[in-house]
Every structure is written in C-alpha cells, then in structure tokens.
Amino acid sequence: MHTLLQDIRYSFRQLRNHPGFALTAVLSLALGIGATVSVFSVIYGVIMHPYSYADLNRLVTLSYSDPYGNFWNAWITGPQLRELQQAHAVESIAAWNEWNLTVTGHDVPEDVAAYTNTSDTFPTLGVSPLLGRNLGPSDSPEGQEPQPVVMLNYRFWQRHFSSDSTVIGKTLELVHKKYTIVGVTRPHFTWGWDADVYLPQKLTNDQALQFGVVIKLRPGITQAAANAELQPLMERFAKETPTHFPPKFKVDVRELSYWTVHQLGGTLYLLFAAVAMLLAIGCGNVSILLMARGTARQHEFAVRSAVGASGSRIVRQLLTESLMLSLTGAGLGILLAYRILALIVAWLPRNFFPSDTDFSVNPPVLLFCVGLAMLTGVLFGLFPALQMARPEIGQVMQSSTKKAAGSVRGKRVHSTLIAGQIALTLLLMTAAGAAVNGFLSMMRVNLGYDPHNVISIGIPIHENTYTNWTARMNYYEQLRAKIAELPDIVSTGISTNATPPSSGDEQRFELLGKAPNPSIEGQTARLNYIDPGYFRTLNIPLLQGRMWTHTETAHSALLAIVNETFAKRFYPAGDMLGHSVEVPTQKNEPPYTLTVPGADSWMQIIGVVRDSLNDGLDKPVKPAIYMPYGTVMWMHTQILIRSRTDPQSILHSIRQQVTRVDPDQQVNGEVDSLETWIRNEPEWARGRLISVLFAAFSILALVLAAVGLYSVVSYSVAQRTNEFGIRMALGASKTDVLKIVLASAGASIGLGIALGFAVSFGLNRLIARWVESSNHNPLLILGAAAVLLAVAILACVAPARRASSVDPMTALRCE
C-alpha cells in the first residue's frame, strides 16, 4: 500500500509538471468517453431497459402481420377479450382504450389523455405505485359499472397538483363527473405514450369498442407456441369483425419494445459505432502521448533501473499514471455525457418510444463508464510500460537525453497509430457527409402542398355526445364556420385523417368494371376524409373535374376525388372521371363510427388533384382516394387552418371559438403547425439526429487526429534536434529540413488516407444505407479526404517550422 501511494503521488507530480500533456490526454479521453456514455445511456433507456415491469420477458403485444410484410397491433372487442383470456398460453392480459377527456370545474376546460384499463392491467404489469394503490379487479367488477376512481400519471400529478403528497382521497372532475384519486404512478411509468390519467374500464358486448392488448405468457410458453395456439382464435375473431383485420394475416406476437427497436435500434447502434470510433481515436492519442512521454523519460528509467528498480515497478508506475489519466478523463467524460445526453434526447424522433422513458446516466451506465475507463487505461498504458520496463542502461546512460533518432519500433508504432486514426477519421467524415447530404436532400423534397402558416387542430368528442350522423355533422360544420370567422384566418379545411405528410388509412378498394390486379399489393389506396376547403387550405391544385360542395356533403353525396398517382396507375389513358370506386370496409359502428347510407357501395370519381406526400418524406406518393368527411365520421376530427400570421399567435382565439360552439368540448392539448408535423416525421427526425451527431463526432475526430499527428511530429522533431543541427551545419537549408519533417509525417498520413479510402469506398453503399441516405456519391469521400489532408498538413507545419529554425551550434552542444 505504501509503494502504491508513492506511485500515485509521483504520478500526480509528473502530470502537474507537464500540464499540456495531461490536459491533452484527459480531454482526448473525456470527449470519447462522454460521447460513448451518452449514446449508451440512450440505448440502455430505449432498447435494453425501456420498461420496469415484472417478468418483462413474458410480456408481448397481441399483433399480426400480412403477406406483404406489414405489421400491426391487434385491437379486439370485449367478448373477444374474454375468450382470449381462456387460452392456455395466456396467464393474464393488460387491455386498454384511449380517450380524450377534460378537467372541468374550472374557468377553462383542460384537455387530458385518458387510458381506460381492464381489471387485470396493472396486476399484469406488476409495477407498484408511488402513492396510494394501483387500479385492480375491485374497481371494475364483472357485470357492474366501473367505480368512480382515477389513478394519476406522475407528470400530471406534478403539473396539476403540484406534487401534493396528500392527493390520495381527493377528487378530480372529468367531464362534470367526480372521480376519487386512489394512486399516483412512479416516475418514468411508461404504460401508454402520453396518458395523464388511468380509469377502470367495463367490458361490454359492444362490437365497436376495441381494446389494445398486452399478453403475459405463462412460464415456459414461447412466442412461436403462442402464435400457433392463437392463430385459429384470431381467424375466428376476423370473421366476427372483418373490418378490424386484413383479409390474410398471421398472428405474430412481439416483445413490447419491438417497435422501438425496429424503428430506432439501427440508428442508435450506428451512433454507438461512431462514438466507439471516436473513443478509439482518443485512446490512440493518449497512447501516442504516453509513448512519446515514455521515450523522453528513457534516461530517468535507466537511472532507476541502475539503482535497483525492477521492471515490474516501472510498469506499475507507468500504469498508475495512465490509470490516473483515464479515470480523470472518465470523470470529466461523465460530466460531459449529461450535456450530450440531453442534446441527443431532445433530437430523438418523437413517438418512437414512450414519453416517460428514463434517460439517465444510471448505475449500469456508470459501471460501464468506469469499466471502459479502466480498460482503456490498461490498454493504452500497457505497451509503453512494457517498452520502458527493460531499458538498455548502458546505451541510454552513455547518450544524452535527446537521441539522434527515436527507435525504429517506436516510429513504426507511432506511424501505425496515426494511420489508424486518420483512416477512422476519414470513415467518420464520409458517413457524416452522406448523412448530411441525405438530410439536405430530404429537406428539398417536393411536398406537393404548402405547410407554411398552417396549423392542425385536433377536436375529440366526449362519449355519449353527438351520437347520430346529423348531430355530429352539424357540430363539425359549426366548428369550421366559427373558426373561419376570425379576422386572421385565410381558409379552413376539415381533415379527419388527411394531415400530411403521412396521411390517410391504407384500405382495399375495387373499381367498377375492372378486376383487381393481383400484382398490385392487394390493390390498396390511402383513404382520406376531407371537406371542400381542404385542398384550398393546403394549396393543392385540382387538375381535372371538380370538387364537391358543402351542400353535397350535408346531403350524403357518394363522391370521390383521386390523386395523380391513382389516376396514372389504374387509368393510364386519362379517362378517370365518371368511373366508380368502392371501399367495402367502410362500416357503420355507432356511436364510435358513423357512416352515410351506402358508404361501402360505389362512389363516383369527380376529380383528380395533384400528388402530395402521403407516406412520409422519403417514400413515393401512394395512390389516394379523397371522400367527403361525412362519409365516415369518428369521434374525433382535425381542422386545418391557414392564417396570415403565425398560427400559434391566434391559438387562444381558436380555442375560444371552439368553446363558444360547445363549452364542454376542448381542443387537443398539443397543437402543432404542419411544419412541426414534418419535423416530427420519423425519417426527418432520424436524418437530423444522424447528420448533426455524425457531423459533430467527425469534427471531434478530425481535431483529435490533428492533435495526435501534431504530437508525433513534435516528438520526432525533439528527438532529431542534433540530427537537424548537423545537417544545417553541413549546409542543409531550412527548406531541406522542412521537407524532411513533412516527408516523415507524410508516410503515416498517406497510409491512413489510403486505408480510409479503401474502407470508405468498400463500405460506400453500406454507409449510405446505414445513415438512411439514398446518395452514395463517391465524390463525398474525395471531399472528406481533401479536408483531412489539409488539416493534417496544418498539424505538421508548426513543428516542421520549429525544426527548420534549429540553431546548429545549440543542437551540437547537446552531444
């Protein structure tokens, strides 16, 4: 212990006496470790540990896939849920429905997202509450009305009740009905994406009321076994409610985190690979610095060996110094990780993971960080330690502390490390270039509509209100007309499910007089329910035919408009107008879904509109059918509003107009502009995240590689001081010395760029796919190499100029 303390004190003095060396090494490690820990924290929170449920490995979503590779979560009715509970593979079920309610009893109704849960939901999840108790079977007894109780989400409790610990037993008024508060969830409870409150749900025989389902499998039951058992049961459910299922499907239960891993996992692993390369470059820097420092201390170690120090003691001393550097870098890296983590989380694509996911540098992540620091400390400290453990005492003692040239093996190691740094940096820069270029291409894509100054207002309807077609139609029309009265409004349009750039529902259809084409993916189209003001509000031009009128909508006219893609694919001769289309899945299921008579029969096509994006920003436009929104009306709609000013500035006035039509109704709590809808698209958010972070990591890698190269060249110049003095004394010019220094560094630079070229060109298409860019332009690699070469030359210039300015007499006195 005493000798260890001696080593620590001596190491501290050495680092304090050489602050430039210590600071460079610590910062190199801190940047790499900080970036690595932050990305690992996101991976841990999103993929490795997204839920804190009991027996998480046995919880699966009830889902299915169709022959075309599409995948959906299943929604089933109350009677079907009772049957599902009897299956052998099922131990228990968590089932829920979603609804928007309002907090009443105040001046202005507040929108809340409510999850109504069946009796076994919280027992199935196995999560204890923060305060009070969970909802359970006693709150929704079979055959009886649910108890008037409510459980609060942690965030809602903080916001609405100011974290009042005595809230249990108090009441919350929702749509003029009082509920007793029985519990508060723990922080980061992730049941549901944005739920504010949880209510007990009664199972009824209503075929229109559907539930999402999470199954807890019995111990020992595999997903494959569950699929096999549930397939015939789900096929029978599909015959009972054919509009809830595709024509052909296979039961395909998945783990709860499937969607998150499927949509975001590749992006996060890609970022982790990038920061791993950044960490490798940082570790390479520290290794170069330690070897250069160790070579400069050869005389010191030779003296210590001569007076009796063993090789193991010298190795321990050097390892102590490297571990001090690595642990200091790790500590600084953890502090840096908190800032980087907040930045990454802010830029993660929304709706890809539960909003309450815990992103933090928690104990497992800290353990990973400490282990990473220890590992890197040993790895980059071991080689120079072993190299210095057995110095050639006689040779070193007889020479000065400045040798004519470093050892051949040391030069080779330095060259290899520099070449590796440059190759990794070029690979990172190539990926960053592809990501940025792909993101810029996405930003320049032709939308087909104008989102500027357009806002989407979500209007949910409370249960047991506007339960017939006429009442619901009149309510929506009154809302639209009332909002249009505001002076700053240019136009309004009802868009039940047609808010771009991902709009409409994929549905099967038939064309009168044409047999379905089996080669066209089930002959499906995006079905959109809109009003006559929709195209005017979005500035989408009508190319052929006409638009229906408000009068035709009010009289249940069976009319349709299609987009260009639909017309070209199914009627390439251009004779689209006057033909008829049928969507057989449009069924009346009151009170949740209200349709006009004949909604599932033939509708006349009266117009063709220009294409606009309807399947995201990075996919081709799909065939689309537009119908009057009165054809099918759900218990929610959206109103698109184009204004002369920023729509957010008139949002309060819009809310007031809604409450003037019905004081008990509300606007959705989250209201976004259509430009925000674009930014929330998964591909846009992923592209921004990858391009920005890859660009930042590649810049850091470039700086670290430049620092490493500068260190090696400076070390080489210091070691060859008397050589340069002799050369200049014999007549060599400053230019000659400058060329010698640059040529010695040029070999490492050239080798690194050659390796980087080989890897980048070999992985060019793969890199483009990794960063989700359709562009794999080889010129990006050449541009990245040119930038890297310029920075490398700049890193060599300063020590080369220092070498060329050596005074021959001063250098010769060193001998």
Side-chain angles (χ1 to χ4, degrees):
M1 178 60 71
H2 178 68
T3 56
L4 178 61
L5 293 176
Q6 280 184 331
D7 289 340
I8 293 174
R9 285 195 298 268
Y10 185 75
S11 299
F12 179 76
R13 286 198 304 271
Q14 286 291 322
L15 298 178
R16 183 184 60 188
N17 293 335
H18 299 85
F21 158 77
L23 185 62
T24 303
V26 167
L27 287 179
S28 296
L29 275 181
L31 289 172
I33 289 178
T36 305
V37 170
S38 61
V39 174
F40 182 77
S41 297
V42 175
I43 292 175
Y44 182 84
V46 172
I47 296 177
M48 297 174 62
H49 202 265
Y51 302 99
S52 56
Y53 305 151
D55 301 315
L56 182 60
N57 61 323
R58 291 198 281 137
L59 293 175
V60 296
T61 58
L62 179 61
S63 47
Y64 54 83
S65 57
D66 67 11
Y68 306 107
N70 300 312
F71 176 81
W72 294 278
N73 290 334
W75 288 74
I76 61 177
T77 66
Q80 292 169 348
L81 188 61
R82 291 191 184 96
E83 287 193 60
L84 181 64
Q85 289 173 331
Q86 306 306 314
H88 171 72
V90 176
E91 179 177 298
S92 61
I93 290 177
W96 76 98
N97 206 326
E98 308 169 22
W99 212 259
N100 282 82
L101 303 176
T102 54
V103 177
T104 50
H106 302 280
D107 295 338
V108 180
E110 177 188 352
D111 180 73
V112 295
Y115 268 56
T116 55
N117 308 278
T118 55
S119 59
D120 286 336
T121 294
F122 280 93
T124 297
L125 301 180
V127 180
S128 60
L130 177 69
L131 298 175
R133 65 174 178 84
N134 286 325
L135 297 178
S138 62
D139 297 313
S140 49
E142 185 69 25
Q144 301 180 30
E145 289 298 317
Q147 297 298 309
V149 294
V150 63
M151 191 171 185
L152 309 180
N153 180 273
Y154 179 82
R155 290 180 294 106
F156 181 79
W157 170 64
Q158 285 186 313
R159 182 177 73 249
H160 199 274
F161 290 94
S162 302
S163 303
D164 181 9
S165 60
T166 63
V167 71
I168 304 302
K170 294 183 178 181
T171 60
L172 177 68
E173 187 175 300
L174 299 173
V175 197
H176 303 294
K177 181 178 179 180
K178 294 187 180 296
Y179 292 83
T180 302
I181 299 170
V182 297
V184 177
T185 66
R186 290 187 174 277
H188 308 297
F189 175 71
T190 57
W191 181 244
W193 297 104
D194 293 296
D196 295 313
V197 297
Y198 306 91
L199 302 170
Q201 172 66 52
K202 176 185 177 181
L203 282 183
T204 69
N205 294 327
D206 188 349
Q207 295 288 327
L209 182 60
Q210 303 174 60
F211 297 90
V213 177
V214 167
I215 298 172
K216 187 172 187 178
L217 300 175
R218 293 186 184 277
I221 299 294
T222 64
Q223 293 183 13
N227 290 336
E229 181 185 355
L230 299 180
Q231 182 69 34
L233 184 62
M234 294 291 285
E235 289 176 353
R236 182 155 56 81
F237 291 170
K239 292 179 181 178
E240 297 170 356
T241 53
T243 59
H244 300 173
F245 295 86
K248 294 181 180 180
F249 65 90
K250 286 186 177 181
V251 177
D252 191 5
V253 300
R254 303 284 178 95
E255 60 275 7
L256 296 186
S257 59
Y258 169 77
W259 274 115
T260 301
V261 174
H262 178 70
Q263 296 282 0
L264 202 56
T267 299
L268 294 180
Y269 291 135
L270 177 64
L271 289 177
F272 191 74
V275 295
M277 285 191 283
L278 183 64
L279 179 61
I281 293 171
C283 290
N285 257 9
V286 178
S287 185
I288 289 170
L289 290 169
L290 281 175
M291 284 192 292
R293 176 90 184 118
T295 303
R297 296 171 65 185
Q298 281 184 334
H299 194 273
E300 170 197 340
F301 292 129
V303 172
R304 294 181 65 176
S305 294
V307 297
S310 64
S312 61
R313 181 63 187 274
I314 293 175
V315 169
R316 189 175 66 188
Q317 176 65 58
L318 288 172
L319 284 179
T320 301
E321 291 182 20
S322 65
L323 284 174
M324 285 184 66
L325 286 174
S326 63
L327 291 176
T328 305
L332 186 60
I334 291 174
L335 297 178
L336 187 62
Y338 281 97
R339 302 301 299 270
I340 300 176
L341 177 61
L343 181 66
I344 295 175
V345 171
W347 284 351
L348 283 174
R350 292 171 58 183
N351 302 326
F352 271 20
F353 52 89
S355 57
D356 290 318
T357 299
D358 184 13
F359 295 109
S360 60
V361 184
N362 47 28
V365 176
L366 286 175
L367 184 63
F368 168 81
C369 175
V370 173
L372 190 65
M374 298 291 289
L375 179 63
T376 53
V378 171
L379 287 179
F380 63 62
L382 189 60
F383 181 80
L386 294 176
Q387 192 178 32
M388 297 297 113
R390 295 181 179 179
E392 299 176 1
I393 299 175
Q395 180 180 351
V396 174
M397 294 295 289
Q398 291 174 13
S399 66
S400 69
T401 58
K402 291 186 179 181
K403 297 168 61 178
S407 69
V408 173
R409 186 172 63 175
K411 288 181 178 180
R412 286 176 179 172
V413 172
H414 287 164
S415 297
T416 301
L417 289 172
I418 285 296
Q421 281 186 319
I422 289 177
L424 289 177
T425 302
L426 183 56
L427 181 60
L428 263 178
M429 293 176 66
T430 300
V436 172
N437 193 48
F439 183 58
L440 292 176
S441 298
M442 186 186 302
M443 293 179 67
R444 293 191 296 265
V445 70
N446 181 18
L447 300 174
Y449 67 98
D450 180 13
H452 184 61
N453 275 357
V454 181
I455 198 169
S456 176
I457 303 289
I459 309 289
I461 295 180
H462 297 315
E463 200 166 10
N464 301 320
T465 59
Y466 308 110
T467 55
N468 63 70
W469 189 91
T470 302
R472 194 170 297 179
M473 165 66 72
N474 289 338
Y475 173 61
Y476 287 157
E477 281 297 312
Q478 288 180 57
L479 282 178
R480 184 196 58 76
K482 201 69 177 175
I483 292 173
E485 293 176 358
L486 293 173
D488 289 323
I489 301 299
V490 175
S491 62
T492 60
I494 291 180
S495 161
T496 301
N497 66 334
T499 304
S502 294
S503 56
D505 299 318
E506 196 84 11
Q507 296 288 348
R508 293 176 289 115
F509 69 91
E510 295 179 13
L511 293 169
L512 186 61
K514 280 196 171 189
N517 187 344
S519 66
I520 303 178
E521 197 172 303
Q523 192 165 284
T524 62
R526 290 295 176 105
L527 210 60
N528 304 267
Y529 303 103
I530 62 171
D531 80 339
Y534 173 83
F535 297 119
R536 183 173 64 255
T537 301
L538 293 180
N539 291 335
I540 299 175
L542 185 68
L543 302 180
Q544 297 180 47
R546 68 176 183 89
M547 184 68 198
W548 57 79
T549 65
H550 287 290
T551 302
E552 287 175 320
T553 301
H555 287 83
S556 311
L558 300 179
L559 304 173
I561 291 175
V562 299
N563 66 352
E564 286 180 279
T565 298
F566 187 103
K568 292 176 181 177
R569 180 172 300 183
F570 299 105
Y571 287 88
D575 57 340
M576 184 83 251
L577 301 183
H579 289 275
S580 296
V581 62
E582 179 189 60
V583 182
T585 56
Q586 297 183 139
K587 300 293 185 181
N588 194 42
E589 295 180 333
Y592 304 103
T593 304
L594 302 177
T595 64
V596 299
D600 57 349
S601 61
W602 298 106
M603 295 187 172
Q604 184 182 12
I605 299 172
I606 61 171
V608 179
V609 294
R610 189 179 69 187
D611 279 344
S612 58
L613 294 185
N614 58 9
D615 193 27
L617 298 171
D618 60 347
K619 299 182 184 69
V621 176
K622 286 193 170 185
I625 302 172
Y626 299 90
M627 295 182 178
Y629 75 90
T631 307
V632 176
M633 287 187 294
W634 297 304
M635 294 191 70
H636 65 84
T637 194
Q638 297 175 81
I639 299 180
L640 300 180
I641 301 167
R642 178 176 293 279
S643 62
R644 294 181 179 87
T645 60
D646 179 8
Q648 294 290 345
S649 65
I650 60 173
L651 184 56
H652 181 69
S653 299
I654 294 172
R655 293 182 188 273
Q656 287 180 325
Q657 294 295 84
V658 172
T659 56
R660 286 192 178 103
V661 176
D662 186 342
D664 287 337
Q665 294 293 336
Q666 86 277 18
V667 171
N668 271 354
E670 186 174 357
V671 177
D672 292 322
S673 68
L674 260 61
E675 290 171 327
T676 302
W677 281 63
I678 292 173
R679 290 193 291 271
N680 289 340
E681 280 294 295
E683 56 271 19
W684 197 96
R686 272 197 305 260
R688 181 185 66 168
L689 177 71
I690 292 175
S691 59
V692 170
L693 291 184
F694 257 86
F697 294 154
S698 63
I699 291 172
L700 288 177
L702 187 62
V703 171
L704 291 177
V707 169
L709 184 59
Y710 176 86
S711 302
V712 165
V713 176
S714 296
Y715 154 74
S716 176
V717 167
Q719 295 300 306
R720 300 174 67 180
T721 298
N722 18 2
E723 175 195 340
F724 294 145
I726 294 171
R727 286 178 179 272
M728 295 182 73
L730 294 175
S733 65
K734 292 185 177 182
T735 304
D736 294 329
V737 173
L738 194 65
K739 289 179 180 178
I740 293 172
V741 175
L742 293 177
S744 63
S748 301
I749 297 171
L751 177 61
I753 290 180
L755 289 173
F757 263 131
V759 176
S760 297
F761 273 112
L763 299 177
N764 193 13
R765 292 181 180 273
L766 185 60
I767 289 172
R769 190 170 75 248
W770 281 347
V771 299
E772 301 186 12
S773 169
S774 59
N775 194 322
H776 48 269
N777 188 354
L779 292 177
L780 289 173
I781 304 176
L782 297 176
V787 172
L788 181 57
L789 181 61
V791 171
I793 292 173
L794 288 176
C796 296
V797 166
R801 287 176 61 87
R802 189 164 59 248
S804 66
S805 61
V806 170
D807 180 10
M809 295 307 297
T810 302
L812 291 173
R813 289 193 192 102
C814 293
E815 284 298 315

